[in-house]
Amino acid sequence: MLKKLNILIFGGRTFPVTKRKAQKFLEKKLTRWIEEHGFNKEHLVFWSGDAIGADQFHYLSKNHNSDLKLYPANWTPNGKYKDPDFSAGYKRNKKMFADFIQCPYRLAVMCTTWNARENGTAHMRNLITNHSKKTPVLHIFTRSKSKDMITHSN
């Protein structure tokens, strides 16, 4: 039976997505995790909130010829920029997570700058860690001064 791994990529808006070092590091860690857990790189589904920053790592779906599910936030539900919905990111996170958690094979990849305090990232992390269905998390983060890439997974 074909096991499709669903990969939810989320994280900080300040994460250096355009840095080649960050791209290579994430690709390497993700590939290692996929292989160690018996999944095939040909059968992946990437999930993203399509925000700036870490969410843009969804480009990996093109590298793997994989499916992509985008959940952009609707910041202007009435079409007027003067009346934005400041809870749109949270609503998007809840909807995306509710759909994602139904998948049998899951991995969450959280990309953050170690000293960043970003509410949307914390919200998604809390949704994942507090749910009764456990989802492994691969945490990729940078140190702000050294720009070293570090990883942690549970």
Side-chain angles (χ1 to χ4, degrees), residues 7 58 63 75 85 88 103 107 110-111 121 129 138 149:
I7 302 170
H58 66 64
N63 293 2
W75 296 104
D85 179 0
C103 302
L107 170 65
M110 180 171 66
C111 303
T121 302
T129 56
L138 180 61
M149 303 300 293

Side-chain angles (χ1 to χ4, degrees), residues 14-27:
T14 59
F15 197 83
V17 178
T18 58
K19 302 283 188 211
R20 191 74 187 129
K21 184 176 180 180
Q23 294 171 352
K24 284 183 173 183
F25 185 81
L26 177 59
E27 180 79 25

Side-chain angles (χ1 to χ4, degrees), residues 118-136:
E118 296 185 346
N119 295 335
T121 302
H123 179 246
M124 183 58 82
R125 184 190 64 234
N126 289 338
L127 288 172
I128 291 167
T129 56
N130 294 329
H131 198 276
S132 60
K133 289 184 181 177
K134 295 302 174 198
T135 300

Side-chain angles (χ1 to χ4, degrees), residues 9 26-27 30 46 57-65:
I9 297 183
L26 177 59
E27 180 79 25
L30 189 55
F46 286 86
F57 275 121
H58 66 64
Y59 79 85
L60 291 170
S61 65
K62 292 177 185 167
N63 293 2
H64 293 283
N65 197 23

Side-chain angles (χ1 to χ4, degrees), residues 19-69:
K19 302 283 188 211
R20 191 74 187 129
K21 184 176 180 180
Q23 294 171 352
K24 284 183 173 183
F25 185 81
L26 177 59
E27 180 79 25
K28 178 180 169 186
K29 295 300 178 183
L30 189 55
T31 298
R32 182 181 299 157
W33 194 98
I34 290 167
E35 291 170 354
E36 286 176 356
H37 291 83
F39 290 96
N40 184 330
K41 289 196 321 183
E42 307 295 318
H43 302 105
L44 306 174
V45 180
F46 286 86
W47 297 61
S48 169
D50 203 25
I52 61 171
D55 287 20
Q56 293 302 308
F57 275 121
H58 66 64
Y59 79 85
L60 291 170
S61 65
K62 292 177 185 167
N63 293 2
H64 293 283
N65 197 23
S66 302
D67 295 333
L68 174 61
K69 295 186 182 241

